[in-house]
Amino acid sequence: MDENRSIEEILNTIGDEHARTVLAAISRNPRSAKELAEECDLSLPTIYRRLELLQEHDLITERTAVAEDGNHYNIYECNFDSTVITLEDEEYKVRIYRKENLPDRFGQLWDELGSESE
């Protein structure tokens, strides 16, 4: 997929009212699809469609949780802190600032320091 199409798709995804509602809910606390449907007052199929769309653009992450009764279910959480959209030379650019965990960030910094000393 070319970069312009990807940018357009990300903008369309962020522009979707239901997708924004889901993102807002999981930016506060990770939630299951059922919890999202209840909190956002949307049907489960609508929630799952938006979750799939958000996952396609790596805007959310999914992990498995285990209930007290031993059943497994998926929890969704926002995968970015902010998005900046700029218009330069008649072209839109989208920059997504992803959430990073501390060990990953430390590893990245260590690798960068190592490449500078070579």
Side-chain angles (χ1 to χ4, degrees):
M1 176 175 1
D2 69 322
E3 186 177 307
N4 289 334
R5 181 177 172 145
S6 178
I7 289 170
E8 184 176 298
E9 289 177 356
I10 289 172
L11 291 174
N12 287 339
T13 299
I14 294 171
D16 181 87
E17 179 182 357
H18 295 320
R20 287 193 318 269
T21 300
V22 169
L23 277 173
I26 61 178
S27 71
R28 295 184 295 270
N29 290 311
R31 290 181 171 70
S32 68
K34 182 179 177 184
E35 291 170 324
L36 284 167
E38 291 170 3
E39 180 176 332
C40 300
D41 196 28
L42 297 169
S43 69
L44 266 176
T46 298
I47 291 294
Y48 280 116
R49 279 193 301 272
R50 291 331 185 274
L51 290 170
E52 183 178 319
L53 185 63
L54 293 165
Q55 281 180 311
E56 284 177 19
H57 299 292
D58 198 27
L59 298 174
I60 63 173
T61 56
E62 174 183 15
R63 62 182 165 87
T64 302
V66 180
E68 290 179 11
D69 63 4
N71 287 323
H72 294 76
Y73 62 99
N74 292 328
I75 296 287
Y76 302 91
E77 54 191 325
C78 188
N79 190 30
F80 69 99
D81 291 316
S82 63
T83 303
V84 175
I85 302 167
T86 58
L87 178 61
E88 297 175 13
D89 300 324
E90 299 180 17
E91 184 178 330
Y92 285 101
K93 297 183 189 251
V94 177
R95 173 125 193 221
I96 298 173
Y97 293 91
R98 306 243 179 248
K99 292 182 178 180
E100 297 179 276
N101 65 31
L102 193 54
D104 288 345
R105 182 65 183 135
F106 180 76
Q108 181 183 3
L109 287 171
W110 185 259
D111 291 344
E112 289 171 6
L113 287 172
S115 68
E116 288 178 6
S117 64
E118 293 177 359

